[in-house]
């Protein structure tokens, strides 16, 4: 058997150079032809792959376009119709958290007086989403569109501002609740900080820039012991992550006001209650448990001191929100560039009449005509504070804020709604 060396280098004299050159040339042409063919095939495959990817991208884009909950000519028409202003000097308002408790009431009040309103809500499951869906249906029945989407979806926000030149933003979307922060802290950062920044980024780049009114919280007063709480009091001792994110929001909004000329108004709400309220709030869960014959847990502070809250009825909060919008002033920037100083304001919105929690239960018992099974325990270290009390003189001076509903009257309205909504009105003694 010839060796590899024999095959490459024949032993017959005189034939080596000729045969070797001939064979090498033939192999070179064969190799070149093979390489050319492979190159052409490679080009063909690359072109085929590129065509496929382009087509797939087109299909995916089309699929997203048709399956998305927003976008399209019909959707844009609905947004414009909802944002249409029906009064002289009215405003067009984007309400975030529109299917929430305060968001629903504010949206209805704005629409009722002739302002344009477009809602945004992500319908998360922090509490029963069916209640949020019911609020959405209520808003829809009054001609208010609620777009389902997340506050961190910058493309959605940009699209909304592309379709409508909003004059104002009422930012009420947030992850609420003090105790839940111990279970799911990331949700507070996602909604209350990242979501806020995403919204402000869109607002500062809008042309014209909207004025922004947003919900801070009385929780920012944290461990402050001076009462009543005033806007100038220290807020650097938060007692919960929720409070910390709201305090961070106040600092962040100040930055956007200073750098970009956004008109900013922050509202520190004090324990809002009323019809269509949040099931995680004490007055709501107390009502549910009393009706179901279940015990209720009432916390008390140090030295057996009863907790007290500055309970504020929803209609009074709505008045404060609308008053803040009406006096917000104009943003001074354009396309992300500041052209002058813009208003930066913070207001307390409370009832300025704190009530102890056991008295709240007494009132509910009278309205429900049932006795509560009380379980009194010491307050755990979960971020709650022993009392809240609002000084509302600044809001009174700036836009005439004046709460008019006491807890007795407000809870009576809430109980009437609760019994109707959950079907208790057909039960004897609960009409």
């Amino acid at each position: 058997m010839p060796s590899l060396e024999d095959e490459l280098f024949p032993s017959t004299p005189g034939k080596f150079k000729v045969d070797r050159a001939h064979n090498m040339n033939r192999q070179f042409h064969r190799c070149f032809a093979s390489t050319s063919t492979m190159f052409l095939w490679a080009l063909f495959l690359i072109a085929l792959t590129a065509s496929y990817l382009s087509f797939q991208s087109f299909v995916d884009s089309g699929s997203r376009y048709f399956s998305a909950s927003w976008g399209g000519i019909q959707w844009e028409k609905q947004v414009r119709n909802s944002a249409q202003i029906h009064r002289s000097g009215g405003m067009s308002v984007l309400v975030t958290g529109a299917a929430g408790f305060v968001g629903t009431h504010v949206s209805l009040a704005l629409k009722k007086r002739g302002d344009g309103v477009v809602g945004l809500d992500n319908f998360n499951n922090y509490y029963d989403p069916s209640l949020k869906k019911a609020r959405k249906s209520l808003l829809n029945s009054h001609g208010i569109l609620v777009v389902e989407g997340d506050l961190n979806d910058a493309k959605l926000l940009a699209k909304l501002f592309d379709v409508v030149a909003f004059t104002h933003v009422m930012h009420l979307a947030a992850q609420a609740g003090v105790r839940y922060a111990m279970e799911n802290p990331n949700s507070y950062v996602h909604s209350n900080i990242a979501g806020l920044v995403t919204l402000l980024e869109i607002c500062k780049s809008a042309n014209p820039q909207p004025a922004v009114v947003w919900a801070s919280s009385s929780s920012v007063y944290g461990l402050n012991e001076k009462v009543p709480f005033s806007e100038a009091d220290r807020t650097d001792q938060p007692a919960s992550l929720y409070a910390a994110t709201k305090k961070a929001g106040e600092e962040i909004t100040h930055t956007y006001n200073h750098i970009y000329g956004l008109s900013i108004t922050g509202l520190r709400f004090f324990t809002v209650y009323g019809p269509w309220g949040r099931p995680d709030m004490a007055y709501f869960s107390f009502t549910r448990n009393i009706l179901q014959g279940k015990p209720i847990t009432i916390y008390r502070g140090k030295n057996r001191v009863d907790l007290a809250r500055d309970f504020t009825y929803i209609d009074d909060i709505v008045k404060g929100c609308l008053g803040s919008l009406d006096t917000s002033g104009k943003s001074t920037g354009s396309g992300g560039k500041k052209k002058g100083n813009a208003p930066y304001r913070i207001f307390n919105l409370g009832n300025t009449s704190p009530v102890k929690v056991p008295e709240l239960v007494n009132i509910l018992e009278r309205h429900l005509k049932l006795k509560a099974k009380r379980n009194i325990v010491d307050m755990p270290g979960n971020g709650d504070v022993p009392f809240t009390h609002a000084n509302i003189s600044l809001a009174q001076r700036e836009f005439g804020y004046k709460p008019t509903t006491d807890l007795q009257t407000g809870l009576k309205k809430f109980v009437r709604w609760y019994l109707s909504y959950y079907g208790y009105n057909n039960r004897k003694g609960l009409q």
Side-chain angles (χ1 to χ4, degrees), residues 8 14 61 69 87 97 131 153 210 215 217 229 231 383 398 408 429:
L8 291 177
S61 298
S69 60
R87 71 179 178 97
L131 180 57
D153 189 343
S217 171
F229 299 155
E231 290 87 349
E398 289 294 315
Q408 174 81 22

Side-chain angles (χ1 to χ4, degrees), residues 415-425:
V415 167
R416 186 186 305 129
W417 168 82
Y418 188 98
L419 296 177
S420 174
Y421 182 79
Y422 288 101
Y424 283 91
N425 276 346

Side-chain angles (χ1 to χ4, degrees), residues 197-243:
V197 171
T198 302
L199 177 64
L200 292 174
E201 279 292 302
I202 298 298
C203 290
K204 62 101 170 174
S205 300
N207 191 9
Q209 291 178 336
V212 178
V213 178
W214 74 287
S216 182
S217 171
S218 61
S219 295
V220 300
Y221 291 109
L223 303 178
N224 181 28
E225 295 182 352
K226 173 185 169 293
V227 290
F229 299 155
S230 299
E231 290 87 349
D233 291 345
R234 64 183 299 182
T235 54
D236 59 351
Q237 302 178 91
S240 66
L241 179 61
Y242 169 70

